[in-house]
Amino acid sequence: MTDDITATAAPTSDGYLGDPAVRAEWDSRYADRRQLWSGQPNGALVAETAGLTPGRVLDVGCGEGADAVWLARGGWDVTALEVSGVALERAAGHARDAGVDVRWVHATLTDAGLAPASFDLVSAQYPALLRTPDASAERALIAAVAPGGVLLLVHHAGMETRQADESGFDPADYVWPSMVTALLGDDWAVEVDEQRPRVVPDGGAGAHHADDVVLRARRLR
């Protein structure tokens, strides 16, 4: 698909790399609504990238592409990764309408085979990354950042300590910012690690969450 990818899992007939059940789950969520998200870039992304020089960025879980398009408009060289083909089709359409180029990757983060240390910014805004015993998703986020680059991970505050609910959602199944922070070694400087009021775009799923946990860390070498 791009020069950033080497196949680490057998691709499906449409090129998807990852667990088909994960793709099916998210395709179903997107197919249920004409537009799942607000169409506006996430507020924490806008705030935390204000002082960064545009370079190569990985948008993890790009959804319908609002962040990817916004970053591309700002001069970033964007690679956007998403498990849902339904969402990617919408995202690609938004990019065409905006007249920007984005490199689309249809894969899970851990199966995408992204070149290590190749992004000046790795942005993961409210990602649904499945937790594994070997912390593969956390390590993939960290590994993708180039020396001097920034990892920006944003999630809904309070989710990590919630109990499993009737819908089948169990926070214990997912990766949260504290789990990533725990793996950052001496090669990293944590610049922001805080809870703050969320800048909520009008409309879209998730608008009921009032606070964010924001982790911004820089890879020193």
Side-chain angles (χ1 to χ4, degrees):
M1 184 176 295
T2 80
D3 57 0
D4 296 325
I5 301 176
T6 57
T8 58
T12 60
S13 59
D14 62 359
Y16 170 71
L17 290 168
D19 184 346
V22 174
R23 177 184 61 177
E25 176 187 354
W26 282 97
D27 276 347
S28 177
R29 293 189 188 189
Y30 280 101
D32 281 344
R33 296 177 64 172
R34 183 176 179 181
Q35 180 176 321
L36 186 58
W37 309 113
S38 70
Q40 301 299 314
N42 283 296
L45 173 68
V46 174
E48 296 301 324
T49 58
L52 300 182
T53 300
R56 298 189 73 197
V57 57
L58 174 65
D59 181 9
V60 177
C62 69
E64 292 159 328
D67 285 353
V69 169
W70 181 82
L71 287 161
R73 280 175 165 163
W76 290 86
D77 178 3
V78 183
T79 297
L81 180 145
E82 172 60 46
V83 299
S84 169
V86 175
L88 276 182
E89 287 182 8
R90 295 177 186 175
H94 295 321
R96 286 193 299 270
D97 291 344
V100 296
D101 292 324
V102 175
R103 192 176 295 108
W104 306 106
V105 180
H106 192 195
T108 65
L109 175 63
T110 53
D111 288 312
L114 300 167
S118 57
F119 295 97
D120 304 298
L121 171 64
V122 173
S123 171
Q125 305 289 313
Y126 317 101
L129 298 173
L130 290 172
R131 191 177 181 184
T132 60
D134 61 354
S136 59
E138 298 96 305
R139 296 184 189 282
L141 283 174
I142 293 168
V145 183
V150 169
L151 171 62
L152 177 62
L153 175 58
V154 180
H155 234 306
H156 303 302
M159 295 293 290
E160 188 173 349
T161 57
R162 280 179 50 181
Q163 298 298 311
D165 59 31
E166 295 177 355
S167 71
F169 172 77
D170 187 348
D173 293 337
Y174 294 91
V175 172
W176 306 105
S178 63
M179 300 172 188
V180 177
T181 305
L183 294 177
L184 298 177
D186 294 340
D187 290 348
W188 289 83
V190 175
E191 298 177 336
V192 177
D193 186 5
E194 65 184 30
Q195 180 172 328
R196 68 174 70 153
R198 184 179 177 217
V199 179
V200 183
D202 292 333
H208 59 286
H209 292 281
D211 294 289
D212 282 335
V213 174
V214 179
L215 169 65
R216 191 186 74 209
R218 187 176 298 276
R219 184 174 178 180
L220 303 177
R221 54 189 177 273

